[in-house]
Amino acid sequence: MSTTEIDYYELLEVERTADDKTLKSSYRRLAMRYHPDKNPGCQDSENRFKQINEAYDCLKDPQKRAAYDRFGHAAFQQGMGGGGQGGMGAEFGDIGDIFESIFGSAFGGGGRQQARRGADLRYDMEVSLDEAFHGKDTEITIEVSQTCEPCSGSGSEPGTGRSRCGTCNGHGKVRAQQGFFVVERACPTCHGRGEVIERPCRACGGEGRVDRPQTLEVTIPPGVDSGTRIRLSGKGEAGPHGAPSGDLYIFLHVRRHKVFERDGTTLLTRVPITFTTAALGGSIEIPGIDGQAIQLDIPAGIQSGKQLRKRGTGMPVLQGRGRGDMVIEIQVETPTRLTARQKELLRELQGTETGDECPQSKGFFDRIKDVWNDLTE
Ligand SMILES: [Zn+2]
Ligand SMILES: [Zn+2]
């Protein structure tokens, strides 16, 4: 039961501290790049375009941005309902808490003392590009505060209960004279709850939660990228005194690959070819990220730096269908270890050259000649 999200700041390629101006200009630049009109038929660009807009919609609004900074995507998921997920009730409960803690004061504070939800936690995880391609099921062990078992989070030693707080007489508030005024504040003994624990639980000291290592199963879906976050609902810190737990966010970082560079779902690789293959054309085999060999046709006369595209052999689309492309940049290699016989053949070739074989060189030297003539006239 985890959801995968790309961090809004990562999407907009800005620092978390970016000001409105930086945010706006980065948004414009990216919206331009991924605009569907500029990338007709490219599902990947279209998805990215939507994500960028969603991210900017949130971050341009100071209130939404503050909420996002505190709670991440969870702050905006009340409308989505997370169809098919278990623990819906708990999720809606959490949302209530979130909005209460953001906008609580605006609702005129009903005076209800509600237990605070546990803190959200962050866990950083590195994965290889290979793992990002295939996805993987893994386990992590983290030390996290959990609801105390002996007292079920109540904080009371089993068999004992709570009694009315003597300091505030159960009101949860105390009055104190301050100069001319009488001020009311939360009771320091019971922290506003009106009750005190008779005998604190020995396992947790009355806190209702204890730090314990916890092993969690994490499913990393295919197509994740650096900046993708996986949310494990309710796996964060336990709330105090039996309050609901926060969420655990797994922040993914994809390690650099020896052969492939990645840009979204596109994989870029540089492949050296011999100069004879470049001149005559041919077919070469390169390894794909999925382990399958990719047959690549080299047209005769290809130049160094030319990029060839193999559709559908890039990274999978996160939570979508299909794969991006692979872009292969050709590097024509000049041989450095020729045998005497090979040199002889090349000299023979050289002897037959008229200059017409290489239009670019010919054009260049023609221009040089013109410059030279102009200078010497
Ligand atoms: Zn009290
Ligand atoms: Zn306990």
Side-chain angles (χ1 to χ4, degrees), residues 253-322:
H253 307 270
V254 180
R255 274 195 298 276
R256 284 183 74 90
H257 192 269
K258 270 186 263 179
V259 178
F260 300 112
E261 256 173 60
R262 176 185 188 177
D263 180 14
T265 58
T266 305
L267 287 175
L268 178 82
T269 184
R270 290 184 185 82
V271 174
I273 59 171
T274 63
F275 80 138
T276 45
T277 304
L280 300 171
S283 178
I284 59 167
E285 231 177 43
I286 54 170
I289 182 80
D290 55 0
Q292 301 275 324
I294 296 169
Q295 205 71 28
L296 189 66
D297 291 327
I298 310 285
I302 197 166
Q303 302 293 340
S304 221
K306 171 83 181 168
Q307 292 187 337
L308 301 174
R309 186 175 282 265
K310 268 284 184 190
R311 298 223 173 264
T313 58
M315 293 296 283
V317 177
L318 181 62
Q319 291 173 321
R321 248 179 272 176

Side-chain angles (χ1 to χ4, degrees), residues 6 25 38 41 61 103 106 124 135 189 217 219 222 252 279 287 310 355:
I6 303 177
S25 74
K38 287 209 164 177
D61 180 325
F103 304 114
D124 288 90
T189 308
E217 282 174 17
T219 299
L252 292 173
K310 268 284 184 190

Side-chain angles (χ1 to χ4, degrees), residues 67-354:
Y68 180 77
D69 286 345
R70 268 189 83 185
F71 304 105
H73 290 261
F76 309 106
Q77 275 165 348
Q78 80 282 13
M80 284 171 41
Q85 289 191 350
M88 287 268 288
E91 282 224 18
F92 275 97
D94 291 355
I95 300 293
D97 278 358
I98 286 168
F99 278 87
E100 197 153 313
S101 38
I102 302 168
F103 304 114
S105 52
F107 293 134
R112 186 165 59 107
Q113 273 286 339
Q114 205 194 24
R116 275 281 165 81
R117 171 179 179 267
D120 288 341
L121 297 177
R122 169 181 176 143
Y123 181 92
D124 288 90
M125 186 190 281
E126 245 195 18
V127 294
S128 66
L129 187 63
D130 218 49
E131 291 165 335
F133 178 83
H134 292 287
K136 74 166 180 177
D137 291 328
T138 185
E139 279 185 350
I140 58 169
T141 301
I142 52 167
E143 177 97 3
V144 61
S145 84
Q146 292 167 65
T147 302
C148 174
E149 269 167 20
C151 68
S152 317
S154 72
S156 296
E157 184 67 17
T160 71
R162 290 161 179 263
S163 56
R164 194 198 283 173
C165 171
T167 311
C168 61
N169 231 343
H171 293 302
K173 287 171 183 156
V174 288
R175 288 157 181 259
Q177 188 83 32
Q178 225 171 58
F180 293 110
F181 305 103
V182 173
V183 283
E184 207 177 52
R185 58 192 171 90
C187 170
T189 308
C190 63
H191 304 289
R193 278 187 299 275
E195 298 175 324
V196 285
I197 288 163
E198 283 175 348
R199 274 173 55 205
C201 163
R202 267 173 295 178
C204 61
E207 251 293 280
R209 48 186 182 173
V210 283
D211 283 355
R212 245 198 330 241
Q214 188 183 19
T215 300
L216 298 168
E217 282 174 17
V218 183
T219 299
I220 297 168
V224 294
D225 203 344
S226 288
T228 306
R229 312 190 317 175
I230 295 173
R231 181 163 69 106
L232 300 180
S233 184
K235 297 298 182 189
E237 223 171 63
H241 310 290
S245 299
D247 298 333
L248 173 68
Y249 286 93
I250 296 173
F251 281 63
L252 292 173
H253 307 270
V254 180
R255 274 195 298 276
R256 284 183 74 90
H257 192 269
K258 270 186 263 179
V259 178
F260 300 112
E261 256 173 60
R262 176 185 188 177
D263 180 14
T265 58
T266 305
L267 287 175
L268 178 82
T269 184
R270 290 184 185 82
V271 174
I273 59 171
T274 63
F275 80 138
T276 45
T277 304
L280 300 171
S283 178
I284 59 167
E285 231 177 43
I286 54 170
I289 182 80
D290 55 0
Q292 301 275 324
I294 296 169
Q295 205 71 28
L296 189 66
D297 291 327
I298 310 285
I302 197 166
Q303 302 293 340
S304 221
K306 171 83 181 168
Q307 292 187 337
L308 301 174
R309 186 175 282 265
K310 268 284 184 190
R311 298 223 173 264
T313 58
M315 293 296 283
V317 177
L318 181 62
Q319 291 173 321
R321 248 179 272 176
R323 286 169 64 180
D325 299 340
M326 191 187 298
V327 170
I328 303 109
E329 190 175 303
I330 297 296
Q331 287 178 321
V332 179
E333 192 179 14
T334 309
T336 53
R337 282 191 236 160
L338 293 168
T339 64
R341 169 75 184 132
Q342 285 169 326
K343 282 182 187 166
E344 192 186 313
L345 283 169
L346 284 178
R347 284 202 193 92
E348 202 177 313
L349 173 70
Q350 204 173 27
T352 67
E353 278 173 2
T354 61

